[in-house]
Amino acid sequence: MATANDMEKDKVKPKGPRGKFKSRLLKVMSTYGRELCFILAVLFTALAALHNGPPKTRKASPPQKFFSSSSLVSDYYLGSMQQLSGLLMEKEVSFVMYYAPWDSTCIETQEEFEAVARFFLTQVFFAAVNCWWPDGECRQKLQPDSYPVLIVHVRWATDIYYKGPLVRHYMISFLDNVLNPIKTCHHEKEILELQVQHEAVLVSFFDFQASPEPRGYKQFYMASLTALSIDPTRRLGFGIITTKKMALKLKMTSSSTVVLYLWNGTEVYPDKRMDTKNILNWAYNRLQQVHLIKWICPLQSKSRMLSGLIENYPTLVLFTPRNLIRGVSPYYDLLREVVLDYYNCNSSTYITSVVQKLSQRREQAEIDLQLLREDCSLVLEEPHLNKNAKADREVSSSNTSEVRDDRVIQMVSTVQKQKCQCLKVALSYSDIDFPNTQFSGDLYENFTGFVCQTNITLKVIALDAVQFHTFPEHLGINIMEEKHQTAVLILDMKKETHYLLKEEIDKKSLMDFIANYTRGLLDRYLRSTIKETRECVMTRDSENVCVHEVTTDTFNRVVMNPNKDVLLLYYAPWCGFCKGTSHIYLTVAKYFSGISGILFARINGDENDLPWEYTVEKYPTLIFFPARRKAESMKFPQSLHLTTTNLLQFILTNAQFTVRWQAAAVMCNKKCVTQNFLHSLAEIKHHYIQQRLILKQINLVQHKLYEMKLRTDGKKRKHSLETIQQFQILEDYLKYLVLNLRNKRKAIINTINLQDLLRKRLGSTLIEDTYKDLNKKTYLFLKIRFTRKQRKKKRRRRRR
């Protein structure tokens, strides 16, 4: 009997085809209903957005200070310019950094900029402006393309953009040139000193006694400041003459005459009107045409500065630290002496005087530096100085108190402190080292004007080894490990070669280096990877694949090993095909793991130079160097696809016999090795039988020749033609038998080596089982043979 609950359940769960149709309908309606609700929600959201205007975003939080509150740099982190403009009009010289707080270059420059501010504490006003903040005045007015932007504001003069390296060493020298843009010359020696410090010097005469501001002086002063925007390291120096006596001596008859002093003479500015832009254009154009050697300072971004200099002519490049604060770069001055002498075709006395002045300046700078280090050690407590020498000086100076007090007073003076501070900053950038001036022999003879004796034009440039150390590293020279961080090389882009001076750099070695290059006596320098590479050893059981990383230095030792076959892969880090085919190369290397007669190696063609016969034109390239036949190296054919099968076939075709046997033993399974071992036993037995037969034939032929000699020697008459032919035939046949005997002995030795290899692969237990199987097979074979003979005998008897 059905209950009420049962009835209700029957109503809820309808049965039959009608109930099934209703449930399917509900599912379809629920699915489409959800999609319809989603579409309506999107439409209402879009209508609401259009009704309320553009989407609202939260305003960015105001920026924070980029420089600390205790910094000497005034930080306008909100980008305001109004207050800064008033301060720039009050200060004589101001150095402003326009930055973006998120920029990595600005973050790196922050510490350097603060160090420069501490150096010019009372002389220059330093400020920083956030020029990225959208609501700031700086962003709306300047809108810089890149950050940071460094500008020096000189009151009542001009604004100078700094475009040099963003390090304190260069910025301090730049500001020093801004504060002292023009040098006053009272004697001819001072002009000569300026010419020694710079590549060229622009000199003019102004009579300040006749007028406090002579005609043209303002334009000349503006030219000296404007030149720093295009020449931050001051290639072109500026000097003025203030006395008529000196001007007449230098043949400057009229006031405001501008003379350009170059290495090979002087030139007068042709226009009588003093115009800043025209003077600079004329001076730098003349300097570009006649320059001999100059410092190169490539921009931080991509540029063709170096390629334009080294593409057309062979170029001698000097990498050495550049000390701008002290104003002395000893190796650069030494190279200038050599180059000026190299181009002195007319034996000019003026060039000779410049060379002598360079030598004297370098020697005097070494003495002055040593004295300054001793004096500054008591004030600055330099850690690199000898403490014992410092103690000795203190003891020697303590004898008389008056001498000690006078020295202390002198050392704590403002000028001395400033010198010590400059020395400290200079030594923090790089140590100042001097080349050796003691020559073991005479200098190169007839070097003066050597360029006119040859048809080779050699350009000369110099780069800062500290700032641009990556350039020599790309040429395979670790400049940080070179003596005094200095290196000299010659780049010849047409021949795609470069040459390195491997001897100690002095005046004689530089002269010999240049002369030997012009005569074609230098050996090409092959760059090698600076990073150390470890050799690998892989056994059969190891899971990793062993591929030797070859460099230029290890090429002869690894690849040219006469006892091993080497498969060398030439690759480059940027080569996509090299990465795509590496798995094939590694798979084949895995097959040959544990085989001692072959090596798999690779070399980075971008970082390693090889002799021309081993240089390839494209990557990847596979070259096989066979053992004891390195001159017969084979390149993997371009017509074949680089697959595992083709590469295995290529190696096995060109490899030595031992490698083939070992490869066959490694790739064979147990059954294959057993069959080969049994086959080798039968083969060596066959070889021994053939060897005995050949020996018997050799004995017969030798006996026959001996008998013919006895017959012919007893007769004094001439031998017949038939006898001579028989004798020659027997000798040739004997040589043929001896050659066969040697080949047979080699085959026996190879078979024995193969047996040893198979024994190692099989093991002692497997060899015993193999011999047992061999004995069983021999017994069965003999038994079958014996039964066959017995059957044949019975058949014969029956027939009889």
Side-chain angles (χ1 to χ4, degrees), residues 80-265:
S80 58
M81 296 285 293
Q82 185 174 2
Q83 184 180 0
L84 178 62
S85 301
L87 290 174
L88 295 180
M89 295 301 297
E90 296 177 3
K91 307 294 182 179
E92 291 291 336
V93 179
S94 305
F95 198 16
V96 183
M97 171 182 173
Y98 299 90
Y99 67 89
W102 50 264
D103 186 67
S104 60
T105 308
C106 296
I107 296 171
E108 294 175 359
T109 311
Q110 177 185 5
E111 184 179 355
E112 302 294 322
F113 196 73
E114 283 187 308
V116 178
R118 288 192 298 269
F119 189 87
F120 293 98
L121 180 60
T122 58
Q123 297 174 286
V124 181
F125 169 68
F126 286 84
V129 184
N130 185 351
C131 215
W132 173 79
W133 179 241
D135 296 339
E137 299 178 25
C138 180
R139 177 69 178 271
Q140 298 173 2
K141 290 182 178 180
L142 295 182
Q143 296 182 355
D145 297 331
S146 61
Y147 299 95
V149 178
L150 300 175
I151 302 177
V152 176
H153 301 271
V154 182
R155 191 176 63 167
W156 311 119
T158 185
D159 294 340
I160 309 166
Y161 284 80
Y162 175 71
K163 299 178 182 179
L166 301 175
V167 293
R168 68 188 71 177
H169 186 75
Y170 279 79
M171 287 190 282
I172 288 174
S173 175
F174 173 76
L175 284 178
D176 186 56
N177 289 324
V178 172
L179 296 174
N180 303 286
I182 301 175
K183 308 294 182 183
T184 305
C185 302
H186 302 284
H187 306 283
E188 287 186 72
K189 292 182 178 180
E190 295 180 353
I191 298 178
L192 186 61
E193 289 178 357
L194 278 177
Q195 197 165 357
V196 167
Q197 296 176 11
H198 308 278
E199 297 179 31
V201 181
L202 205 62
V203 181
S204 182
F205 165 62
F206 298 103
D207 190 3
F208 287 95
Q209 295 181 355
S211 173
E213 187 176 345
R215 183 176 62 87
Y217 174 73
K218 184 177 180 180
Q219 289 78 5
F220 191 79
Y221 176 75
M222 291 290 293
S224 65
L225 291 177
T226 308
L228 292 172
S229 293
I230 57 176
D231 180 20
T233 55
R234 191 60 98 186
R235 292 176 56 202
L236 179 65
F238 289 80
I240 59 172
I241 298 171
T242 57
T243 59
K244 291 184 179 180
K245 183 178 179 181
M246 182 69 179
L248 293 174
K249 191 174 182 179
L250 297 176
K251 298 180 181 180
M252 293 184 181
T253 55
S254 61
S255 180
S256 69
T257 301
V258 180
V259 179
L260 179 64
Y261 283 82
L262 301 168
W263 67 273
N264 57 350

Side-chain angles (χ1 to χ4, degrees), residues 313-325:
Y313 300 98
T315 307
L316 187 145
V317 185
L318 169 68
F319 293 100
T320 188
R322 186 177 190 181
N323 202 300
L324 289 169
I325 296 179

Side-chain angles (χ1 to χ4, degrees), residues 661 683-684 687 742-752:
W661 293 339
E683 186 178 1
I684 197 170
H687 286 326
R742 289 176 180 174
N743 293 333
K744 192 58 63 179
R745 286 177 177 174
K746 288 182 180 179
I748 291 171
I749 293 171
N750 292 334
T751 308
I752 292 172

Side-chain angles (χ1 to χ4, degrees), residues 206-383:
F206 298 103
D207 190 3
F208 287 95
Q209 295 181 355
S211 173
E213 187 176 345
R215 183 176 62 87
Y217 174 73
K218 184 177 180 180
Q219 289 78 5
F220 191 79
Y221 176 75
M222 291 290 293
S224 65
L225 291 177
T226 308
L228 292 172
S229 293
I230 57 176
D231 180 20
T233 55
R234 191 60 98 186
R235 292 176 56 202
L236 179 65
F238 289 80
I240 59 172
I241 298 171
T242 57
T243 59
K244 291 184 179 180
K245 183 178 179 181
M246 182 69 179
L248 293 174
K249 191 174 182 179
L250 297 176
K251 298 180 181 180
M252 293 184 181
T253 55
S254 61
S255 180
S256 69
T257 301
V258 180
V259 179
L260 179 64
Y261 283 82
L262 301 168
W263 67 273
N264 57 350
T266 58
E267 295 190 16
V268 181
Y269 179 58
D271 195 352
K272 295 182 179 181
R273 296 175 298 175
M274 295 286 288
D275 184 75
T276 299
K277 186 176 180 180
N278 292 338
I279 290 175
L280 290 178
N281 291 336
W282 170 75
Y284 279 104
N285 286 335
R286 296 302 304 153
L287 178 60
Q288 187 67 22
Q289 294 175 8
V290 301
H291 83 276
L292 289 182
I293 175 174
K294 66 177 180 178
W295 286 101
I296 300 297
C297 190
L299 301 175
Q300 300 295 332
S301 58
K302 293 182 179 179
S303 66
R304 294 183 54 86
M305 179 184 292
L306 280 177
S307 61
L309 293 170
I310 65 179
E311 279 182 352
N312 299 324
Y313 300 98
T315 307
L316 187 145
V317 185
L318 169 68
F319 293 100
T320 188
R322 186 177 190 181
N323 202 300
L324 289 169
I325 296 179
R326 289 292 303 167
V328 177
S329 296
Y331 283 95
Y332 177 75
D333 292 342
L334 176 66
L335 185 60
R336 285 187 68 189
E337 296 177 29
V338 175
V339 173
L340 285 172
D341 198 16
Y342 177 69
Y343 278 92
N344 190 10
C345 297
N346 299 325
S347 300
S348 172
T349 56
Y350 182 76
I351 296 177
T352 304
S353 63
V354 174
V355 171
Q356 292 177 355
K357 186 65 178 178
L358 281 168
S359 180
Q360 295 173 2
R361 177 173 176 264
R362 189 177 67 255
E363 294 174 358
Q364 187 63 38
E366 187 174 5
I367 298 172
D368 295 343
L369 180 63
Q370 183 63 28
L371 294 175
L372 185 59
R373 283 188 174 187
E374 293 177 359
D375 293 340
C376 293
S377 63
L378 300 176
V379 175
L380 301 177
E381 298 291 340
E382 290 290 338

